[in-house]
Amino acid sequence: MASLSIYRETALPGTLAANSIYFVAPAARPDYVEIYVTGNDASTVKRVIGQQDVEALINASGGGGGSANTLEIVDDIAARDALAPTTNVLVLVLDASADETVTAGAATYAYRANTSAWNKISEAESMDVVLSWANLQDKPTSSVVDIDDAVSKRHAHANKTQLDKIDEDANGNMTYGGNLPMTGWASSNW
């Protein structure tokens, strides 16, 4: 098994050693560290991605300062479809009623360049949601009046007088009417 060497550098050396890890803190960015790893052959080098790599990936995807950070506003679905974007983009359609899922008003769509598809992510009519019992799906079969009545009676019992007699004594023993419960024996022959 080969031994592993670890180096702390301010710049990656021109010639690398096999089976090594290089922690490189560039002089211009002393609070930043790049990591390089070599294999059994020093020419096989792997680098851990850094901040600049992540930023480049975000920018390449259209998410870093690109169109995904802006909102295009158009009058209707036809105008949205006429955009023909080549990157990811957000579009507010002021009259989205041509979309069968929108009854009236505006909707926001995200265009995914990798699938060439528009996806609705919000609509204005849902911002003014008014729910009624009649329009709820999968609701109980009880009426609102029956449910309200049951709630008001949640602590009402026909035998409330008897239930109120159940208590406990100072030793934690259950009592009924202030006395320990009595058992009515069917027989007492022993």
Side-chain angles (χ1 to χ4, degrees):
M1 179 173 171
S3 63
L4 182 66
S5 299
I6 301 174
Y7 300 89
R8 285 181 15 190
E9 305 288 344
T10 56
L12 190 64
T15 303
L16 302 176
N19 301 311
S20 298
I21 299 175
Y22 291 86
F23 292 96
V24 179
R29 296 181 71 191
D31 60 335
Y32 176 78
V33 175
E34 297 173 352
I35 303 171
Y36 298 84
V37 180
T38 61
N40 289 331
D41 177 358
S43 64
T44 304
V45 180
K46 304 289 183 185
R47 182 175 62 88
V48 176
I49 66 171
Q51 178 181 346
Q52 290 172 330
D53 300 309
V54 172
E55 289 171 356
L57 289 169
I58 292 170
N59 289 334
S61 72
S67 58
N69 288 336
T70 60
L71 178 67
E72 186 79 28
I73 301 174
V74 297
D75 290 328
D76 53 30
I77 295 291
R80 179 205 70 183
D81 292 343
L83 292 174
T86 57
T87 62
N88 296 339
V89 65
L90 294 174
V91 176
L92 172 63
V93 178
L94 297 175
D95 176 8
S97 59
D99 179 336
E100 63 186 33
T101 67
V102 179
T103 305
T108 308
Y109 297 85
Y111 180 79
R112 293 186 69 189
N114 65 338
T115 63
S116 300
W118 290 102
N119 297 295
K120 183 175 70 172
I121 58 174
S122 70
E123 60 183 271
E125 67 184 352
S126 64
M127 291 172 26
D128 300 318
V129 174
V130 177
L131 299 176
S132 71
W133 183 256
N135 294 329
L136 292 179
Q137 295 179 355
D138 302 321
K139 64 185 175 203
T141 57
S142 303
S143 71
V144 174
V145 172
D146 289 342
I147 292 172
D148 288 344
D149 184 49
V151 169
S152 70
K153 293 178 180 175
R154 68 186 176 273
H155 291 294
H157 305 280
N159 61 344
K160 184 173 179 351
T161 303
Q162 289 81 9
L163 290 173
D164 286 345
K165 292 180 181 181
I166 298 173
D167 202 356
E168 68 178 48
D169 65 15
N171 295 323
N173 297 314
M174 185 177 94
T175 61
Y176 183 79
N179 300 310
L180 293 173
M182 301 295 291
T183 302
W185 296 100
S187 68
S188 55
N189 295 328
W190 56 272

